[in-house]
């Protein structure tokens, strides 16, 4: 199995998995780059997984379905093009692996993530919930939901690979460096982020550089309190303060 990012729109990645002559894509914000890759590599699109309803994740669905009418589209009930309703606990086989669905709300209240276990490697297609060195904005979800979703991710094995849907790494790292002024892992990562794609990224790496996964760190909490002018009593409050600081950064 191969996994690669197909750049789309301004800064989206449409993740594409393929094995043999079959392919799966995640969050096709536009159809043309996916169709081009499939044609050039003689691939047939068998499945599409949708994390949430925003146009930059769904804009290509109708056209892809026109070209591949037998393609199964997995998504929540708020995805009109979905042929298979997916939600917490949904699962199905894919080639030699197994797909599981987690409900990971926060960015939206119905956001899903797709976890593919392939031999000993876990791949997580997390849409706009987790970014490298960052996390999504809150739209129709809540900050408490987003915090819980990231905490759930943080309990996965450290070698887990995450596949966010946007190339936001450099901008996120600049904010992370603003929060942790003397974190050498952030400084190294910021230099490396000039080379894209920066994704996928391991959970072990994110635990070193992502302030939204480092809310238990005393220095992160103290800096969030200092910059927000608040007394922060717990990790969720630190997380909420960081998200608001990032919104204004």
């Amino acid at each position: 199995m191969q996994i690669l990012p197909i750049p789309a729109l301004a800064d989206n990645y449409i993740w594409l998995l393929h094995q043999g002559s079959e392919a799966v894509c995640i969050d096709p914000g536009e159809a043309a780059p996916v169709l081009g890759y499939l044609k050039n590599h003689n691939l047939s699109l068998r499945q599409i997984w949708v994390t949430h309803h925003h146009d930059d994740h769904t804009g290509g669905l109708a056209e892809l379905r026109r070209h591949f009418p037998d393609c199964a589209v997995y998504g929540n009930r708020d995805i009109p093009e979905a042929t298979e309703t997916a939600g917490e606990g949904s699962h199905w086989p894919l080639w030699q692996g197994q797909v599981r669905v987690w409900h990971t709300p926060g960015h939206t209240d119905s956001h899903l993530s797709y976890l593919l276990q392939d031999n000993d490697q876990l791949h997580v297609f997390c849409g706009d919930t987790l970014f490298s060195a960052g996390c999504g904005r809150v739209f129709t979800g809540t900050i408490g939901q987003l915090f819980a979703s990231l905490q759930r991710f943080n309990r996965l094995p450290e070698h887990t690979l995450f596949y966010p849907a946007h190339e936001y790494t450099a901008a996120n790292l600049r904010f992370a460096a603003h929060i942790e002024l003397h974190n050498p892992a952030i400084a190294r990562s910021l230099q490396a982020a000039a080379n894209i794609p920066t994704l996928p990224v391991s959970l072990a790496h994110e635990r070193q550089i992502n302030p939204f996964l480092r809310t238990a760190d005393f220095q992160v909490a103290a800096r969030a309190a200092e910059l927000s002018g608040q007394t922060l009593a717990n990790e969720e409050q630190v997380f909420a303060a960081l998200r608001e600081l990032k919104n204004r950064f």
Side-chain angles (χ1 to χ4, degrees), residues 164-177:
H166 291 274
E167 182 58 77
Y168 290 164
T169 305
N172 287 340
L173 283 164
R174 287 191 286 272
F175 174 73

Side-chain angles (χ1 to χ4, degrees), residues 87-89 100-104 111-115 152-153 156:
E88 175 70 35
R100 290 178 288 148
V101 178
W102 280 7
H103 179 215
T104 51
H111 195 291
L112 302 178
S113 294
Y114 296 82
L115 288 71
R152 188 179 187 188
F153 283 158
L156 289 169

